[in-house]
Amino acid sequence: MLRLKNIAVARGGVPVLSGVSFALEAGQALILRGPNGSGKTTLLRTIAGLQPALSGEMEGAEDRVAYSGHADGLKAMLSVAENLKFWAAVYGQHDIEGALEAYALAPLSDRLAGTLSAGQKRRAGLARLMVTGRPIWILDEPTVSLDAATVGLFADAVRAHLGGGGIALLATHIDLGLEAQVLDVAPLRAMPADLHGASDEAFL
């Protein structure tokens, strides 16, 4: 389970969201919605452990999260396969074949990541989630730079992850055809009174 209760988060020392509460069981997904700047990325980073919450309670995220943000997490001078092997080793895993197959990366496995197109880099970056062995996927606008066919591959990968008992939390404006809860963060914008004591300094 991943559970949040009355979580408040800040960006640049200014509270952006408060009172965020939800619970996800194995096999469930949640899609965050809201306008740009509404705090979706800040909330995802907080759940991923990249910055502390201002207040509230969170359970289930510790050492169980794989995060995909706006950067693809690739080393330019390593091949696609070498990048995936690197990330698999970081998380104590070994198999990368399923990730290569899921994102149609086998033909690119020997290509240096620095020579890939934006869409190909995004595919490789998303494939990285599959080699972590982590049950909770946190994804911030994961379909950026993807064409329609690859969006379909991504949606299939998420479905397979959920089908295996995983959890997915996504911020996206695209309809992926997933069975998922939806949380609109716009009504959860922090009030000015929440400014006291705000901090979002990363602790990693």
Side-chain angles (χ1 to χ4, degrees):
M1 170 187 280
L2 174 65
R3 185 179 73 88
L4 275 66
K5 183 178 180 181
N6 292 325
I7 290 288
V9 299
R11 179 178 59 242
V14 178
V16 290
L17 293 174
S18 64
V20 180
S21 299
F22 63 80
L24 293 172
E25 301 280 356
Q28 293 184 329
L30 175 69
I31 294 175
L32 298 181
R33 293 278 164 79
N36 291 337
S38 59
K40 299 186 299 296
T41 292
T42 303
L43 177 60
L44 294 179
R45 285 176 53 82
T46 300
I47 299 170
L50 299 178
Q51 65 181 65
L54 293 178
S55 60
E57 301 174 9
M58 180 163 56
E59 296 179 24
E62 304 87 355
D63 298 324
R64 302 176 66 229
V65 167
Y67 174 71
S68 175
H70 297 156
D72 294 315
L74 303 175
K75 295 182 179 292
M77 297 309 295
L78 294 182
S79 70
V80 170
E82 288 170 336
N83 268 283
L84 292 179
K85 288 177 181 177
F86 168 81
W87 283 111
V90 166
Y91 289 95
Q93 306 294 312
H94 304 285
D95 181 35
I96 68 167
E97 296 306 318
L100 289 172
E101 181 179 352
Y103 285 95
L105 289 168
L108 302 173
S109 62
D110 294 327
R111 285 268 301 273
L112 293 181
T115 68
L116 301 176
S117 70
Q120 290 168 337
K121 288 178 181 177
R122 195 61 170 167
R123 282 158 55 193
L126 291 171
R128 179 173 55 88
L129 294 174
M130 298 185 65
V131 304
T132 64
R134 294 289 177 94
I136 301 174
W137 288 2
I138 296 181
L139 304 115
D140 191 4
E141 299 295 345
T143 59
V144 171
S145 301
L146 297 184
D147 57 24
T150 311
V151 168
L153 293 179
F154 167 70
D156 289 343
V158 174
R159 287 191 194 93
H161 180 64
L162 298 175
I167 289 172
L169 178 59
L170 310 88
T172 181
H173 298 287
I174 292 181
D175 183 3
L176 297 170
L178 299 173
E179 286 190 20
Q181 304 174 42
V182 176
L183 175 62
D184 184 356
V185 302
L188 301 175
R189 293 298 297 270
M191 296 292 101
D194 295 329
L195 286 171
H196 179 67
S199 172
D200 69 344
E201 291 298 319
F203 54 80
L204 294 185

